[in-house]
Amino acid sequence: MSEGFVWPAGAGTRVLVGYDGSLGANAAIDVATAVLPRAHALICHFWAMPFTDTGARQRLSRESANLAELTAAIEREGGHQAERDARTGAAVAQAAGWAADVLARRTFSAEGLALAAVGKEVDADLIVIGSRGLSGTRAALGSVSDAVVHHSTSPVLVVPYPLMIAEYEALAAGPVVVGWDGSAGAAAALSGAAALFPDRDLICTAVGAEDEPLDLEKADVPGRDLTRERRVRRRSVLARGVAAELTASARDHRASVLVVGSRGRSAVSEILLGSVAMATAHHAHRPVLVVPIPE
């Protein structure tokens, strides 16, 4: 349980990792350790009733004398399996160079909401989650990464799976591209990128129509040199057009991470109105850091 969890002294960046044992989850750890080598991870695995292993559940059903005994057995075995899964994720993180603790918790809500809540409980500097590449209606109904991004008060690193060789090669030393539109969300994104990546070059990319005023001079981080560029949005759909240009900028600069701000809208309005943050997280073929406006 996270109650009472305290990050060790000198832990560096405090990273909460949502881990489900999938290839995408393992890849997310691999990518995050490459872009943030000095961090301490809390590997979090959730489980819910009924125990998802069908074979184990059938065996417990045969061996239990009544419903109460069956329920207790499922609770016991489900918790044990969750602990094992979390330890597997910690082993992956430790092999990649991170120190890691584990958290296995039963959840009564959606996993994305639960992970965002734990991030706030433990005051994580960053939440890392793998993306399964869902889009459209399916994403609105079933993507854990979407829910985390919508509800987290911490920055969220969404890692797509799989990455290609060029994208992997950019992780170790590539610059960080930050989407800029002059909003409070963009300012939060720039500040968050500067804090998490103090040794990386920062590139502010503003995307708009040809006649749209975008004051890049307001993009500033005291003590840091920034590269500023402007790109013209060529697609008619606003969010997708901006996301496409930000993605192209990250590709052209061989960026390690693409950073965008989140305006904190509800899930429904994000999907219906179109969100640059969500469109970028879904379609960029490299890690995307979504930074919320501070509470």
Side-chain angles (χ1 to χ4, degrees), residues 96-111:
W98 275 355
D101 289 299
V102 300
L103 165 64
R105 174 180 286 186
R106 178 179 170 183
T107 180
F108 297 91
S109 64
E111 292 178 8

Side-chain angles (χ1 to χ4, degrees), residues 21 32 36 115 149-150 207 216 226 239 250 252:
L36 289 168
L115 187 62
V149 168
H150 283 304
V207 180
L216 269 165
L226 303 179
D252 294 346

